[in-house]
Structures are given as C-alpha cells and as structure tokens.
Amino acid sequence: MAFDLDLIKSTYANMPAKVAAARQALGRPLTLTEKILYSHLWDNASPKAFARAADYVDFAPDRVAMQDATAQMALLQFMQAGRPKVAVPSTVHCDHLITAKTGANEDLKVANSESKEVYDFLASVSNKYGIGFWKPGAGIIHQVVLENYAFPGGMMIGTDSHTVNAGGLGMIAIGVGGADACDVMAGLPWELKWPKLIGIKLTGKLSGWAAPKDVILKVAGILTVKGGTGAIVEYFGEGATSMSCTGKGTICNMGAEIGATTSTFGYDESMERYLRSTNRADIADLANGVKEHLTADPEVYANPEKYFDEVIEINLNELEPHLNGPFTPDLATPISKMKEAAAANGWPTRVEVGLIGSCTNSSYEDISRAVSLAKQVSEKNLKTKAEYMITPGSEQVRYTIERDGFLEVFDQIGAKVFTNACGPCIGMWDRTGAEKQEKNTIVHSFNRNFAKRADGNPNTYAFVASPELVTALAIAGDLTFNPLTDTLTNEKGEQVKLDPPTGDELPVKGFAVEDAGYQAPAADGSGVQVMVDPQSARLQLLDPFTAWEGNNLTGLKLLIKVKGKCTTDHISMAGPWLKFRGHLDNISNNLLIGAINIFNEKPNEVKNQLTGEYGAVPAVQRAYKAAGLGSVVVGDENYGEGSSREHAAMEPRHLGVRAVLVKSFARIHETNLKKQGMLALTFANKEDYNKIQESDNIDIIGLTEFAPGKSLHMILNHADGSSDTIEVNHSYNDQQIEWFKAGGALNIIRKNIA
C-alpha cells in the first residue's frame, strides 16, 4: 500500500486538464518537465509562456523530505513559523549521523547513543507536527523515498541536493535549503526561476561492463560541474526506456554534480515494474491511466532541438565504463585511458579501498551485479587486493540481499557491511590511518569526491565509478586495470579474466523486510512537548536575524578572498561537524575553514584587520562581530557548489558577514543566502575580482534604491588610501528584496502569522 494515495489520486485527476491548458497557452507540444511544472503552479495559477532562466514562478510541491543533518535546522525554523501541523506530507530520515567504522550493528549502536538527543528531538518534532519519521538504520533518504514516496509526475523538494534521485521514478524532485522546506511545510508557495531545458537522448542499450552510472559520468565530463546550472535535464530515447528504474535514479542522483536543478525520465514499463515490486501496484495502475501526460508529447522527442535549449546524444552501445576524479566529479576518464591519465598526472594507482552503495548506487540491481563479480573471486581462485566495503541503501534492500545470499558471498571475500546510512559518502567514515594523511587512492560508487570528503585526508585520491567497476578494481587492487581487456594472476599463477557482471533488475522473490524503520506521527500532536536543553552542545533554538538598517553598508571588512573551487564542504564541512548541525553557534566554528585564502595560499588563515595578525576564519569573524563590524566574503566561480546545506549560508549570517561577492553561484547556495537575508552578489566584470586587496574596507552603495535588475556598487577602500569602485550584479526579485529588508524570509512568515 502506498503512502499519501489520496494526494496522488488528486494529482493525476487534475493533470490532464492542467496539461491541456498549458499546451494551449504555449501553442505547442510540451516536454515532460513542462507538464509537471505547469501542473504544479501555485494556487492553480493560469499557465503562460514563462521566460526560461528569467521568470520567478511560484509552485505547490506535493511533499517535503528532510535528512537528519539538515532537518534539525529546517525544523528549528518551522517551529518559529507558528503552524500546528505541516501543510504537505513531509518526512525525516535519520541517515547522516552514523559513523562507519566497525560494522553495521556496532556503528548503529554507537550512533543511537551519541546522537540520542538529536534523534529524540527529531522524533518528537515529527510527532508533534505530523511528519513521518524514519529511524536510524532505516536507510538513506533518497533510496527510502524512491521505495516509498516517489511517483511519476509528482513534484517534491528535499533538504539535500541529491533529492533529485527521485527523477528516476519520473518526478521533478529538487534539492533546497531548510528555509524553502519551511515555507512549503507552512503552506506557502515555493519559488523557483523557470528553468532552462537540456535534453539528453540515449540511443542503443547498455551491455557488458557499461552501467547507468557511466551515463552520468559521461554527461558530467561533457557539461562540467556547472554546465547544468539553472536547467532541468530530461532524458529520453530507446536507451532510456531500456534501462531500469533504479538505474535512472542513479543518473538523476548525480545530476546534482553538474549543477542541474534536477533531472527526470518519462514514465515507462521499468517504472511500472518498480512500483509493483515495491508494493505500490495501486500507484502503477493510476499512472497507467494518465501515462500520456507522464512523458513528453511525441513531437518533442521526434524533434528535440525545437524544444530544448541544448541537446546531447549518447550511444549506449558505444559507452565505455568511466572513472571520474580525483577531487572533482566531472573529470571523466574512460577506463581504457586510465593507465595513460594516471601516469601523466602522477595519480597513485594502487587501490586501497573499494566502496559500493550510498544513495547513488544501492539498489538491488547494483548489489546483484557487484555480487556476480564477488562470486568470481573464489570461482577463479583470486584474492581481493583492496579492502571492500558496502553501504546498503535501505533496510528493505539489506534484508532482501541477505535473504538472497548476497551478504554471504561478500563476507567470503572479506567485505565489511556498514549501516544502512550515508557513512563514507558524506565524510562519516572513521577510517583507520586517515590521520596520517598519506597519499592513497580509493574508488567508490558515490557521487562526490571533493578533497577530504570521504575520510578527511586531503591526500586521498577518490575516483567515482559504477559498483561493478569498483568491485573489479578492488579485486585487482589497481586503478589502471581494465576488466574489458586485462587479465589477473590467480593464486595458481594462472591468467584469468573477469566475466562481465550480471544481475537482476528486481528480486525474483520480491522485496522483503521485517522492520522498515518507519514511525508514523501522532494523529493529534498538540500535546507533544518538544524540549531543547539550553545547555545542549547539539541543539539550539533560533533567534530571529536582525532586519536591514535601511542604509547603505559601509566600513565592511574583507573576511576572505577565496581562491578557486569553494564548495559547501569548504564553507561548512561535514564529517565530525555534522554533530553540530542543530546548534548554529557551535557549527559556525567551521565557517570557511576549508577555503583557500588567495593571499597566502592557506586554508583557515586570514588577516584580522583589527590586530594585523592572522587567525582562523571563524575567530577573525567573531572579532569583527564583537566590534560591531560587518564583513564581505569574496569567491570564485560556481561558489557554493555541492550540498544543499543551508548552514553554509546561516553561519556567515550568524557571525556578521553581510555580503558574499563571487564570479558565479551554484543555484541552491545563492537561494539559501537570499533566504537568510544576505546579499548574494556577482561581479559585473569578473576581472574586478583581481582588484580586491587583503586589507580592504568595503562600502556597498545603492541599497536604498535596491530593485530588481538594478546593479549595486562597491567601493574598495585600500590600505594605501586609494580606492576602486566596481559594479556588482544581483538576481533578486521584489519578494527576495523583502527577505533582505526583513532580515530573512522566516521573519516575514512569522510576521504574517503573528
């Protein structure tokens, strides 16, 4: 039985008329993306031809999903909104706070003890406000959503950038900050700039060693980490329909790594099979009744260049397995070229660890194809050369693969099975020896491989690949091993070749689980008390941010001028810092500690203009705050790439940073800054980045006439008495300017409810 069946029935009942109205308004056939967007306009607004990458539009998402690390701040904000219950179906998933170290049982026991305060808080808030709660060990948010909540043609938002995973089941699913989630849970519209559209046509069919993961690894190499910014990617073609639903999910999941707003696929038989296999035959039947509206109009896929802003074609018959990395998910290398690339770049080729699973690749199909290779270790008298670790995506997947004997096979090759949680993928990996910071290589089927992300070691070279290729490289222990052509020497001294992976799309005997880990909320939560200890180091009730003073901002100090890539991991690290995600002041002690200061090429060392001495970024900013001084952060291209974590926006706001000026922003981070009442600005002339000097005092002029489309100016007052005036742009609309003036979007919600 499906969750929220009445909501899905209503969505499908209204969809044909809404799609027809949109088609008439635009006077042309529609893409799938457009059908879903137009059928989710706020308050059933009349459709019109919105300008792509220009018009801000209000939407009514069907649901909200939150993982435990981001849910804390999202729910702390929601508690301030004054609502008795969430306005749309919402869930919390406890998957981020479990450290992978010893193995599933022991690690889960430790997490339940260490994070009991946080879990109790999230459970009680969920119970009070009508939110579904998935307990620690239940699984990773995106896998659990795919198994239980995602449905073709729906729209959801989630406080995690990989919410986009649900596109594998034909949704428009978008990662957001907690403030956006708070709006939707409070019954308010959700705003998004109408996206550009990228169409990716898949021809042919995957076979042999090629996997769905290789599709998105190839796409990442084409589009780079920012090529999808402001766009929704829609996949189509015979290659798309020949692929499994969970394979589609993998592709959509890593769409976050090209900066895409989201990615999606049209409804097809693979999605129907997945719905029926996960006990949602009722949704499959409903979807079949409106299936013409759950994919693009035929004319679109026949002539995609007429309807998409960009079209890419990939022939799956010719697609080669890829390894992407190190240190960025868009550095794509076909496996046949890895030996050459590794030699040219000096990458360490001995593979120390292979890790499979995570929200990106933890389906039954992924595990079954990996186990087909693990079986060959004994069959071909081989020995696994690298450590091998598995993170199941959900308790349902874990229970089913144990029933089907997969875990026993993995155990025979010395594999370690971690808890059904994020673990190493988001830095929650207590890896033995990582503190030595030795140069080494790991391969994994995760989605991101930024420096220090998995184990905290800046010298760990992490490469992203399919679970099948990860398994083969772990067996070989060599990054340059090409399983399509190369042989291995077995224990008898014989040369043997690995057979291509095989596996079942779905379990032949069906999925099974004893306790999925779900806790339903109280029917009436009015009597539930949510307690936060004022002395807690993990949780802290929020105080409203102060409103804009009404004047131009003058005398701001330069806090840091960041050099190069600055992801949300650099701005607000995960790993051991996850424990403070519910305590804004404590987690603010990691503000920008991973960013490189261009003036000394060092992380976490900036000049304190009050003393002339150098100190840690958070300490220097706290000194400015204590002196009543604001500051400015300056960054490079695609600033805020990566996670949806709004802590990267709330921390500078909390410590007194007034503006972030960069060459370009990643979408979610720019929105998060706006929501928190910050100034998110971009250089009108990117070369002006070079005019910023280390001891600058900065004035921001034009705020008293702050208006959409109207530039502001910055006066850079240099230490030698000279100055430069530069033009800076912004993308604020009227509503977002009101957020700035009020001191944050939440202040407006609170005022309207009071």
Side-chain angles (χ1 to χ4, degrees):
M1 181 65 186
F3 288 92
D4 310 310
L5 192 59
D6 287 343
L7 179 151
I8 298 169
K9 286 180 178 177
S10 176
T11 300
Y12 287 164
N14 295 324
M15 198 168 192
K18 291 182 176 180
V19 168
R23 192 183 291 119
Q24 184 175 3
L26 272 64
R28 61 168 175 79
L30 301 178
T31 65
L32 168 64
T33 299
E34 290 169 326
K35 290 181 179 182
I36 299 176
L37 292 178
Y38 277 109
S39 63
H40 285 84
L41 293 178
W42 175 255
D43 204 24
N44 294 310
S46 298
K48 65 177 184 177
F50 296 109
R52 295 179 185 178
D55 287 346
Y56 283 95
V57 181
D58 286 341
F59 293 98
D62 297 309
R63 66 177 313 109
V64 173
M66 298 165 280
Q67 41 93 337
D68 51 355
T70 52
Q72 295 172 64
M73 200 58 68
L75 293 175
L76 285 165
Q77 291 177 87
F78 180 76
M79 288 168 64
Q80 291 188 318
R83 299 282 186 177
K85 189 174 182 178
V86 291
V88 302
S90 304
T91 52
V92 168
H93 304 258
C94 295
D95 61 359
H96 272 58
L97 301 178
I98 303 169
T99 300
K101 183 178 182 180
T102 306
N105 293 334
E106 185 60 31
D107 293 346
L108 182 58
K109 190 184 302 180
V110 170
N112 276 320
S113 174
E114 287 185 346
S115 295
K116 182 179 187 303
E117 178 185 14
V118 172
Y119 293 148
D120 287 349
F121 167 74
L122 293 173
S124 63
V125 174
S126 298
N127 207 23
K128 182 175 183 63
Y129 294 109
I131 299 169
F133 181 73
W134 290 81
K135 294 180 284 189
I140 307 173
I141 176 173
H142 311 303
Q143 180 69 23
V144 173
V145 165
L146 197 71
E147 292 174 359
N148 295 278
Y149 298 111
F151 67 96
M155 172 185 267
M156 70 175 287
I157 61 170
T159 60
D160 190 285
S161 55
H162 293 106
T163 298
V164 295
N165 187 80
L169 203 38
M171 290 195 90
I172 291 295
I174 300 175
V176 299
D180 278 345
C182 180
D183 282 356
V184 175
M185 290 189 293
L188 300 175
W190 175 63
E191 181 187 76
L192 178 72
K193 186 178 285 186
W194 195 265
K196 296 181 293 182
L197 299 180
I198 297 175
I200 298 185
K201 182 178 182 179
L202 303 178
T203 63
K205 186 177 181 180
L206 293 169
S207 62
W209 285 90
K213 183 66 160 258
D214 297 307
V215 175
I216 187 57
L217 295 179
K218 173 80 170 178
V219 169
I222 295 170
L223 289 175
T224 77
V225 291
K226 62 177 184 176
T229 301
I232 290 180
V233 180
E234 187 171 322
Y235 291 85
F236 62 95
E238 61 179 346
T241 56
S242 69
M243 200 179 296
S244 69
C245 175
T246 52
K248 294 178 175 72
T250 291
I251 292 170
C252 292
N253 182 294
M254 266 197 75
E257 274 51 76
I258 59 171
T261 301
T262 192
S263 306
T264 196
F265 286 78
Y267 178 66
D268 62 16
E269 291 179 359
S270 74
M271 295 184 191
E272 179 182 354
R273 290 193 298 270
Y274 187 72
L275 286 169
R276 296 189 186 282
S277 183
T278 51
N279 298 311
R280 291 176 288 171
D282 37 10
I283 296 178
D285 292 338
L286 289 169
N288 286 341
V290 292
K291 60 183 178 183
E292 67 184 278
H293 305 300
L294 301 177
T295 189
D297 289 333
E299 299 92 332
V300 171
Y301 293 160
N303 295 285
E305 290 80 6
K306 291 176 62 177
Y307 304 96
F308 294 98
D309 298 289
E310 181 178 357
V311 177
I312 296 168
E313 186 169 328
I314 297 174
N315 185 345
L316 302 187
N317 292 332
E318 301 172 355
L319 184 63
E320 189 177 341
H322 278 62
L323 276 165
N324 283 28
F327 306 128
T328 186
D330 61 345
L331 182 56
T333 305
I335 188 62
S336 64
K337 304 292 185 184
M338 179 49 73
K339 185 175 293 186
E340 176 185 333
N345 291 284
W347 298 334
T349 58
R350 178 183 170 185
V351 175
E352 304 286 348
V353 189
L355 306 101
I356 68 167
S358 86
C359 69
T360 323
N361 280 103
S362 58
S363 68
Y364 185 89
E365 181 180 40
D366 290 328
I367 304 299
S368 69
R369 284 172 63 85
V371 87
S372 74
L373 295 167
K375 287 178 180 177
Q376 296 180 48
V377 173
S378 59
E379 292 170 353
K380 298 179 184 291
N381 293 303
L382 293 165
K383 184 174 288 187
T384 306
K385 298 290 179 62
E387 288 186 81
Y388 188 68
M389 300 172 178
I390 303 156
T391 306
S394 70
E395 175 57 15
Q396 179 167 268
V397 166
R398 190 213 62 80
Y399 188 94
T400 304
I401 64 173
E402 181 178 39
R403 179 203 66 189
D404 292 350
F406 294 175
L407 293 187
E408 184 179 348
V409 174
F410 286 132
D411 183 63
Q412 290 170 359
I413 67 167
K416 182 181 290 186
V417 179
F418 290 134
T419 311
N420 314 317
C422 300
C425 184
I426 47 92
M428 294 297 281
W429 181 20
D430 189 353
R431 183 185 180 191
T432 302
E435 71 283 354
K436 298 176 184 176
Q437 300 197 357
E438 295 174 338
K439 189 174 180 180
N440 75 105
T441 283
I442 65 173
V443 290
H444 59 58
S445 66
F446 307 159
N447 39 47
R448 291 186 178 141
N449 56 350
F450 305 140
K452 300 195 283 187
R453 176 150 179 115
D455 61 2
N457 178 4
N459 298 312
T460 291
Y461 288 60
F463 294 84
V464 184
S466 68
E468 301 93 313
L469 188 57
V470 168
T471 305
L473 296 179
I475 293 170
D478 185 351
L479 188 69
T480 67
F481 173 69
N482 182 354
L484 285 75
T485 58
D486 297 348
T487 59
L488 296 169
T489 304
N490 70 8
E491 296 294 284
K492 295 181 178 180
E494 302 165 334
Q495 295 300 301
V496 296
K497 191 176 181 184
L498 293 175
D499 299 324
T502 58
D504 293 321
E505 174 185 333
L506 296 163
V508 175
K509 293 187 286 185
F511 284 105
V513 67
E514 285 186 349
D515 178 8
Y518 176 69
Q519 176 181 298
D524 179 5
S526 59
V528 176
Q529 295 296 311
V530 179
M531 305 298 292
V532 175
D533 182 354
Q535 304 303 314
S536 173
R538 301 285 301 267
L539 296 165
Q540 181 187 47
L541 295 176
L542 295 175
D543 292 321
F545 291 132
T546 56
W548 173 54
E549 302 88 338
N551 305 311
N552 291 324
L553 300 179
T554 60
L556 305 177
K557 302 294 185 182
L558 175 69
L559 176 61
I560 184 173
K561 180 178 173 181
V562 177
K563 178 183 179 181
K565 184 187 283 282
C566 190
T567 71
T568 49
D569 276 18
H570 295 87
I571 305 168
S572 175
M573 287 186 177
W577 289 95
L578 283 175
K579 67 171 67 76
F580 300 121
R581 284 282 179 86
H583 197 294
L584 182 54
D585 193 57
N586 282 348
I587 199 169
S588 293
N589 288 322
N590 77 1
L591 174 65
L592 285 159
I593 63 175
I596 301 299
N597 178 5
I598 196 169
F599 297 112
N600 59 12
E601 304 278 337
K602 294 180 180 179
N604 202 28
E605 187 175 306
V606 295
K607 184 176 182 179
N608 182 335
Q609 293 190 43
L610 301 178
T611 65
E613 298 176 351
Y614 285 80
V617 179
V620 171
Q621 181 54 41
R622 286 186 186 275
Y624 293 156
K625 182 178 182 180
L629 299 170
S631 65
V632 176
V633 169
V634 175
D636 212 315
E637 297 280 8
N638 207 31
Y639 184 87
E641 168 194 344
S643 167
S644 70
R645 68 191 69 156
E646 66 184 334
H647 299 77
M650 295 186 79
E651 290 176 33
R653 179 74 166 100
H654 172 67
L655 293 184
V657 177
R658 301 303 298 270
V660 178
L661 171 65
V662 301
K663 294 180 181 177
S664 65
F665 282 106
R667 176 191 63 84
I668 300 177
H669 187 62
E670 182 180 21
T671 300
N672 286 345
L673 289 168
K674 292 177 179 180
K675 282 279 187 175
Q676 301 303 334
M678 295 275 284
L679 284 172
L681 307 172
T682 55
F683 290 99
N685 177 3
K686 293 183 180 182
E687 293 302 313
D688 286 343
Y689 171 89
N690 299 317
K691 294 179 180 178
I692 309 288
Q693 298 180 20
E694 188 173 26
S695 298
D696 279 353
N697 286 297
I698 299 170
D699 303 331
I700 303 177
I701 307 301
L703 287 174
T704 52
E705 295 86 35
F706 197 8
K710 186 176 182 180
S711 297
L712 301 172
H713 289 84
M714 276 192 177
I715 302 174
L716 310 175
N717 299 296
H718 305 309
D720 63 3
S722 65
S723 67
D724 284 299
T725 299
I726 64 173
E727 182 181 358
V728 295
N729 294 333
H730 65 84
S731 61
Y732 287 73
N733 59 23
D734 287 324
Q735 176 177 265
Q736 294 167 349
I737 290 172
E738 291 306 309
W739 296 345
F740 167 73
K741 291 179 177 179
L746 188 58
N747 289 346
I748 295 177
I749 297 175
R750 189 186 300 105
K751 181 180 178 181
N752 290 340
I753 292 173

